[in-house]
Amino acid sequence: MMQAQLIDTQGRRVRDLRISVTDRCNLRCVYCMPAEGMAWLPKEDLLTYEEIARFAGICLSLGITGIRLTGGEPTVRMDLPLLVRMLNDLRPGLDLSITTNGLKLAGMADELREAGLKRVNVSLDTLIPERFHRMARRDRIHEVMAGLEAARRVGFEPIKINAVLMRGLNDDEAVPLARWGRENGYQVRYIEWMPLDFQHSWSREKLVPAAEILERIQAVFPIEPAQQTDPSAPATLYNYTDGMGSVGVIASVTRPFCGHCDRIRLTADGQIRTCLFALKEYDFRRAMRGGASDDEVAELLRAAVWRKEPGHLINSPFFKQPERGMSAIGG
């Protein structure tokens, strides 16, 4: 039986749960992590798959309609298809997706698809092997490409590409990435670089705004705004006027969409974050391991969502970057 749904003080209804399964990653992207010296969560602090599935089931009873698995890099967590199957079994029609760097997709795509995964988003910031090595600090772009081919082969649809452009590093690839996406049937989505790196090196000077990206694409491949039926979707979509697919921008910094945000995030160690930039977390690992019933967990979650922030403060002088970086939060 459906319980009271998750609504905040702004009247926003939470429908999207992002679950980080690990803080570890097999890349060291310059806009996210330092090259060395990351301190990982101890294994005993991570939620077990059974705990994740239990929490997800409670969320589904409260109106959650979509779950995305994130990290770190979710595919480095052992036996990930097992978790996918557990979540899919909760509700076989569930919109269940993953954000991955694609390195392990070639060997996992079949198993993930069979377990019930519906969609994949693959992070890829450059098409140039030497530049990939410099940005990700690993020479592994060939594995990403193999992973994308495997995702296509097993029938994931759509396949979305998440690209972060940085001034002076890869901002000249807005059009090449768009061309490559058009030719291969991928929806490229450009994400503005956000202040969530562990190094606290974010600067507006390196940010490539969505308006500039769209202007560059428009000059080569004419686009027009797509009709969007879900105002809470983070990406603003544009269709190519020649019918060859679409492209998106996630402009969290220059065009915040907080007023329609319907997401919450569960970190790998069981903390709920009601905003990507939240400074407060709610400890659900302690509640579940302390013997809280499903009804008690549901009540705690409703209380946390009720306090969901009206919006982030990136463009305010009062903005304070969260202590956790993106890889420890989950995207």
Side-chain angles (χ1 to χ4, degrees), residues 85-244:
R85 189 174 299 280
M86 292 169 69
L87 295 174
N88 189 64
D89 285 347
L90 293 172
R91 184 182 295 170
L94 176 67
D95 180 19
L96 183 56
S97 59
I98 190 173
T99 295
T100 173
N101 59 31
L103 295 188
K104 300 187 71 175
L105 261 186
M108 296 180 66
D110 286 278
E111 220 179 336
L112 289 169
R113 181 72 170 170
E114 185 180 349
L117 191 70
K118 310 300 192 302
R119 298 183 290 112
V120 294
N121 286 21
V122 177
S123 300
L124 181 64
D125 307 310
T126 177
L127 300 172
I128 303 169
E130 183 278 331
R131 185 176 284 176
F132 183 96
H133 193 179
R134 188 163 71 248
M135 291 187 68
R137 302 191 179 100
R138 301 290 188 272
D139 186 15
R140 303 181 70 176
I141 191 173
H142 59 287
E143 295 172 63
V144 182
M145 295 303 181
L148 284 168
E149 284 302 313
R152 189 205 304 272
R153 174 178 54 77
V154 303
F156 285 120
E157 176 67 28
I159 297 173
K160 299 177 182 178
I161 306 296
N162 292 343
V164 176
L165 300 185
M166 295 178 67
R167 185 83 61 196
L169 194 57
N170 66 334
D171 58 308
D172 59 339
E173 289 193 72
V175 171
L177 280 164
R179 178 180 293 109
W180 172 77
R182 283 164 51 87
E183 293 173 352
N184 291 277
Y186 302 135
Q187 184 192 103
V188 178
R189 310 191 316 167
Y190 302 89
I191 303 176
E192 290 182 341
W193 183 33
M194 293 176 281
L196 286 169
D197 58 310
F198 276 96
Q199 310 92 297
H200 288 218
S201 62
W202 183 84
S203 69
R204 289 186 182 273
E205 290 70 29
K206 295 179 183 176
L207 169 73
V208 184
E212 179 180 331
I213 295 169
L214 292 170
E215 183 178 354
R216 292 188 190 185
I217 294 171
Q218 172 72 34
V220 181
F221 303 115
I223 52 177
E224 60 186 5
Q227 284 192 334
Q228 292 184 256
T229 57
D230 183 3
S232 64
T236 302
L237 298 181
Y238 297 82
N239 292 329
Y240 293 110
T241 57
D242 63 2
M244 286 189 63

Side-chain angles (χ1 to χ4, degrees), residues 23-24 28 33-34 36-42 198 324-325 327-328:
D23 60 331
R24 296 174 185 258
R28 295 291 181 275
M33 290 184 178
E36 304 291 344
M38 287 292 296
W40 308 119
L41 291 167
F198 276 96
R324 291 195 198 234
S327 65

Side-chain angles (χ1 to χ4, degrees), residues 9 40 44 51 86 103 157 210 222-223 258 275 287 302-303 305:
T9 56
W40 308 119
E44 60 270 19
E51 288 170 331
M86 292 169 69
L103 295 188
E157 176 67 28
I223 52 177
C258 305
C275 173
R302 281 195 292 267
V305 168

Side-chain angles (χ1 to χ4, degrees), residues 2 5-6 14-18 56 58-67 91 94 262-264 301:
M2 180 69 70
Q5 298 193 351
L6 300 170
V14 169
R15 298 174 300 167
D16 188 329
L17 173 64
R18 308 291 173 94
I58 294 169
C59 287
L60 292 178
S61 76
L62 295 171
I64 290 291
T65 58
I67 293 178
R91 184 182 295 170
L94 176 67
D262 68 346
R263 288 168 293 286
I264 56 173
L301 186 56

Side-chain angles (χ1 to χ4, degrees), residues 269-317:
D269 57 346
Q271 311 300 305
I272 277 290
R273 298 176 62 87
T274 52
C275 173
L276 190 55
F277 298 93
L279 299 178
K280 179 177 178 55
E281 298 180 339
Y282 301 89
D283 191 347
F284 281 80
R285 183 189 66 200
R286 176 182 294 181
M288 289 192 292
R289 292 184 181 177
S293 68
D294 286 3
D295 285 343
E296 288 170 332
V297 171
E299 186 56 40
L300 289 170
L301 186 56
R302 281 195 292 267
V305 168
W306 182 250
R307 300 183 180 91
K308 181 175 167 67
E309 297 80 353
H312 66 62
L313 299 173
I314 293 177
N315 299 306
S316 161

